[in-house]
């Protein structure tokens, strides 16, 4: 049984983990449930993702992440999996090692791993307790992964799905280790309905690294870009009284990194911004997101957008109503 206690230290029933994509277990990508938390009214409702165009307003702006997912997992000759997480400002990479679906926290003989294709990956030093800094021995990590990699898959997903299952409708810029999954339910039909209803859509890019579910870690630096078009669209929507609704926590991080004094300026680089009640949002009014794991730092971000008591009630409602978690699961609209 799943329970929700102070402060978001809840146990997640394995039966609430989404094992398969929505289009496999249902009728299509948009066939997911959507919990709706109305901040102003203090209410919680149960809807379907296809209801989204009726729940946003003309003049609102949805900001989406256009980062595409890499096949970021490879298996070494030693039997360990390497998850290529994210590039660092100096050109090195963070990687995670895994063994039997758990982070591998032990030593590596000679700190060298034998990769497919005859390459040898030297681990320079640890980054935290489960990541390593390395300089890959090939010119292009995305090209290498395109030849030898597979999408990162965790134990709750029941089989290996193709890379296309881990791309969103907005994915155009390869670079994420894991899918920016909040946008997964969007389809061309839903996008058309939103635009026809007077809702704007604008992109940012943030290449998301591997999840940190096991270690309760703070987010580490990730590469992002907020372009001139999106900066103008956000500022115009705010000035006209519209709401800026981020599609995913990655979008919140990018927009709030590029924000100053309630306005967004074009920006790019590596962000270390950690949005929380201690460092709250200034331009994001709402959020469409998945359901986050117990003690996840993402929950702290949600508390920067939604009052803690209401957010806790929302998670209680989601658990009681058997919403599904993880990248193939249901979604939560906070607005």
């Amino acid at each position: 049984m799943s329970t929700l206690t102070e402060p978001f230290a809840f146990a997640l029933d394995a039966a609430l983990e989404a094992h398969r994509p929505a289009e496999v277990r249902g009728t299509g990508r948009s066939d997911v449930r959507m919990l709706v938390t109305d901040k102003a009214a203090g209410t919680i409702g149960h809807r379907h993702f296809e209801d989204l165009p009726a729940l946003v307003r003309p003049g609102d702006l949805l900001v989406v992440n256009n980062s595409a997912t890499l096949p970021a997992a490879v298996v070494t000759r030693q039997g360990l999996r390497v998850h290529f997480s994210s590039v660092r400002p100096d050109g090195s990479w963070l990687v995670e090692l895994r063994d039997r679906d758990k982070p591998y926290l032990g030593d590596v003989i000679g700190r060298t791993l034998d990769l497919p294709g005859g390459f040898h990956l030297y681990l320079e030093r640890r980054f935290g307790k489960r990541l390593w800094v390395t300089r890959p021995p090939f010119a292009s990590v995305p090209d290498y992964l395109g030849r030898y990699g597979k999408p990162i898959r965790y134990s709750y997903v029941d089989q290996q799905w193709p890379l296309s299952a881990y791309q969103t409708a907005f994915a155009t810029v390869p670079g994420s280790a894991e899918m920016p999954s909040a946008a997964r339910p969007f389809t061309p039909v839903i996008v058309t309905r939103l635009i026809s209803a007077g809702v704007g859509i604008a992109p940012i890019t943030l290449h998301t690294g591997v999840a940190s579910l096991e270690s309760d870690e703070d987010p580490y630096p990730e590469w992002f870009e907020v372009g001139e078009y999106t900066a103008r669209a956000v500022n115009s929507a705010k000035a006209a009284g519209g709401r800026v609704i981020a599609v995913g926590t990655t979008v919140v991080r990018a927009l709030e990194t590029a924000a100053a004094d309630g306005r967004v300026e074009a920006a790019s680089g590596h962000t270390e911004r950690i949005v929380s009640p201690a460092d709250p949002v200034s331009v994001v009014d709402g959020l469409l997101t998945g359901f986050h794991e117990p003690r996840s730092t993402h929950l702290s971000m949600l508390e920067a957008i939604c009052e803690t008591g209401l957010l806790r009630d929302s998670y209680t409602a989601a658990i009681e109503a058997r919403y599904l978690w993880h990248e193939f699961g249901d979604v939560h609209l906070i607005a």
Side-chain angles (χ1 to χ4, degrees):
M1 179 178 179
S2 298
T3 58
L4 184 57
T5 60
E6 298 279 335
F8 293 111
F10 58 93
L12 183 63
D13 187 342
L16 301 187
E17 297 178 328
H19 306 301
R20 298 182 174 192
E23 61 272 26
V24 175
R25 64 177 191 266
T27 61
R29 279 189 173 229
S30 62
D31 189 10
V32 297
R33 300 166 71 195
M34 183 168 66
L35 189 76
V36 179
T37 299
D38 187 320
K39 295 193 299 178
T43 59
I44 299 164
H46 302 281
R47 303 293 290 265
H48 193 278
F49 180 74
E50 291 182 352
D51 297 329
L52 180 63
L55 297 172
V56 289
R57 308 166 189 158
D60 285 348
L61 178 71
L62 297 180
V63 183
V64 300
N65 188 354
N66 65 10
S67 181
T69 310
L70 298 171
V74 297
V75 179
T76 70
R77 189 169 61 83
Q78 291 92 331
L80 296 173
R81 275 190 292 148
V82 178
H83 289 174
F84 283 82
S85 177
S86 48
V87 66
R88 287 159 48 82
D90 65 359
S92 62
W93 276 71
L94 293 178
V95 299
E96 180 192 38
L97 308 185
R98 293 184 77 88
D99 181 27
R100 298 179 183 178
D101 294 318
K102 296 292 184 181
Y104 178 74
L105 305 179
D107 294 327
V108 175
I109 296 175
R111 288 195 178 179
T112 300
L113 295 167
D114 301 321
L115 298 182
F119 293 98
H120 305 287
L121 186 71
Y122 178 70
L123 306 174
E124 291 185 2
R125 58 183 175 85
R126 287 192 181 275
F127 185 92
K129 73 177 184 180
R130 74 181 172 92
L131 300 179
W132 290 86
V133 176
T134 185
R135 294 182 184 274
F138 22 81
S140 169
V141 170
D143 287 351
Y144 175 80
L145 294 174
R147 183 171 182 182
Y148 296 106
K150 292 184 178 180
I152 290 174
R153 176 171 71 94
Y154 295 110
S155 58
Y156 54 79
V157 176
D158 62 4
Q159 68 183 74
Q160 189 74 57
W161 299 100
L163 184 61
S164 59
Y166 294 88
Q167 307 293 13
T168 74
F170 308 107
T172 57
V173 184
S176 281
E178 297 185 11
M179 173 176 51
S181 56
R184 193 180 191 279
F186 283 84
T187 64
V189 171
I190 297 290
V191 170
T192 300
R193 288 177 56 203
L194 286 164
I195 293 172
S196 297
V199 176
I201 299 177
I204 59 89
T205 304
L206 186 141
H207 295 321
T208 181
V210 297
S212 43
L213 310 183
E214 296 86 358
S215 303
D216 299 329
E217 297 163 300
D218 286 336
Y220 38 83
E222 295 170 308
W223 189 88
F224 82 102
E225 182 174 29
V226 176
E228 291 280 359
Y229 170 80
T230 297
R232 289 196 303 269
V234 168
N235 296 334
S236 295
K238 300 286 286 187
R243 298 176 299 177
V244 173
I245 300 174
V247 179
T249 57
T250 59
V251 174
V252 177
R253 194 179 199 195
L255 286 180
E256 294 299 332
T257 299
D261 299 322
R263 290 182 57 82
V264 171
E265 301 290 342
S268 66
H270 281 78
T271 175
E272 298 185 14
R273 177 74 186 272
I274 300 174
V275 177
S276 71
D279 190 5
V281 295
S282 63
V283 294
V284 171
D285 301 299
L287 173 64
L288 178 72
T289 185
F291 292 99
H292 301 286
E293 285 70 23
R295 297 170 299 279
S296 166
T297 54
H298 288 89
L299 291 172
S300 182
M301 177 185 286
L302 267 59
E303 288 184 278
I305 299 171
C306 181
E307 188 271 325
T308 300
L310 180 59
L311 185 62
R312 187 175 292 112
D313 290 345
S314 297
Y315 267 68
T316 298
I319 291 169
E320 290 176 349
R322 314 296 289 173
Y323 280 73
L324 296 180
W325 258 247
H326 302 314
E327 65 267 32
F328 295 143
D330 296 315
V331 292
H332 183 193
L333 177 64
I334 303 170

